[in-house]
Amino acid sequence: MTSTMESPNASSVGTGEAATLEGFLSGIATRAFRFAETGLRHREDARDVVQDAMTKMLAYRDRPASEWTPLFWSILRSRIVDAQRRGVLRLRWLSPHGDEQQSVDWTDPGADPSRSHEGQEAWQHIVAALRRLPRRQREAFGLRIFEELDVATTARAMGCSEGAVKTHLSRAREALQKQLEDFR
């Protein structure tokens, strides 16, 4: 499954439902990894959690394709919370040998160096601001804004009411706006 996470998004995930569960998982892998990495702050742990969530999804192969999206995000979110609770990640994050200096390179490789640097710098500020958010606000923001899930699907994935999703999202936006206003 590791090779699946490095493949580009399948076009069927963003425009409609994937024909197979494998197609769905390959299309959502990159976004799931980014979501997990933001929550866990460690690339290897994020890969492990995403792979675990994808493996768990295989048990739900017979479910209708319309249920896959909220089910997957719910499983992934649960795996992230479990990993955070174990505390192993916090120790690794604080160790001097951690890879915190390693930046995530999601910018366009064809851009000129100054634009590439500006894009990386902007993304680093956004990720840092997201990491300072409380977990539920970060989850609501990631699922609603980055994954473009609707409120009802986000609520099912997070295991809360639609009103709670709206509240978490509103608070996340306010906090991010305050944290990023100096960067503009």
Side-chain angles (χ1 to χ4, degrees), residues 11 19 37 60 68 95 103-105 114 118 122 152 156 165:
S11 60
E37 186 180 36
Y60 299 103
W68 292 344
S95 82
S103 66
V104 180
D105 186 18
S114 65
E118 290 170 3
R156 284 188 299 182
V165 169

Side-chain angles (χ1 to χ4, degrees), residues 98-142:
D99 63 344
E100 65 187 69
Q101 298 298 324
Q102 191 177 44
S103 66
V104 180
D105 186 18
W106 294 326
T107 58
D108 180 10
D112 65 79
S114 65
R115 291 192 72 187
S116 178
H117 175 72
E118 290 170 3
Q120 288 175 348
E121 186 178 335
W123 182 249
Q124 287 174 352
H125 282 286
I126 291 168
V127 169
L130 283 170
R131 287 179 175 162
R132 287 190 290 270
L133 291 176
R135 179 179 55 85
R136 299 290 281 181
Q137 289 179 18
R138 185 176 54 246
E139 290 170 355
F141 188 85

Side-chain angles (χ1 to χ4, degrees), residues 4 7 16 22 28 42 46 56 67 74 89-90 125 146 169:
T4 303
S7 66
E22 288 78 12
I28 204 167
H42 193 269
K56 178 74 173 173
E67 294 181 14
S74 180
L89 302 172
R90 288 188 195 96
H125 282 286
F146 293 141
L169 182 60

Side-chain angles (χ1 to χ4, degrees), residues 29-174:
T30 302
R31 296 187 332 260
F33 173 71
R34 289 177 185 167
F35 184 78
E37 186 180 36
T38 301
L40 296 174
R41 300 181 177 136
H42 193 269
R43 293 178 69 87
E44 296 306 317
D45 292 327
R47 282 191 182 110
D48 291 344
V49 166
V50 170
Q51 187 169 6
D52 187 39
M54 288 182 168
T55 303
K56 178 74 173 173
M57 273 299 293
L58 295 176
Y60 299 103
R61 177 184 309 275
D62 296 332
R63 292 263 182 110
S66 62
E67 294 181 14
W68 292 344
T69 299
L71 184 58
F72 175 77
W73 289 109
S74 180
I75 291 169
L76 181 61
R77 193 183 70 68
S78 177
R79 296 293 191 253
I80 291 169
V81 170
D82 290 347
Q84 289 169 333
R85 286 184 181 151
R86 283 192 299 266
V88 175
L89 302 172
R90 288 188 195 96
L91 294 174
R92 194 175 299 156
W93 177 248
L94 294 173
S95 82
H97 303 294
D99 63 344
E100 65 187 69
Q101 298 298 324
Q102 191 177 44
S103 66
V104 180
D105 186 18
W106 294 326
T107 58
D108 180 10
D112 65 79
S114 65
R115 291 192 72 187
S116 178
H117 175 72
E118 290 170 3
Q120 288 175 348
E121 186 178 335
W123 182 249
Q124 287 174 352
H125 282 286
I126 291 168
V127 169
L130 283 170
R131 287 179 175 162
R132 287 190 290 270
L133 291 176
R135 179 179 55 85
R136 299 290 281 181
Q137 289 179 18
R138 185 176 54 246
E139 290 170 355
F141 188 85
L143 294 173
R144 286 283 292 132
I145 304 303
F146 293 141
E147 296 308 317
E148 299 177 354
L149 299 181
D150 60 29
V151 174
T153 304
T154 302
R156 284 188 299 182
M158 291 180 64
C160 63
S161 70
E162 291 180 23
V165 169
K166 292 176 184 178
T167 300
H168 290 311
L169 182 60
S170 174
R171 290 179 181 165
R173 284 181 172 159
E174 284 178 28

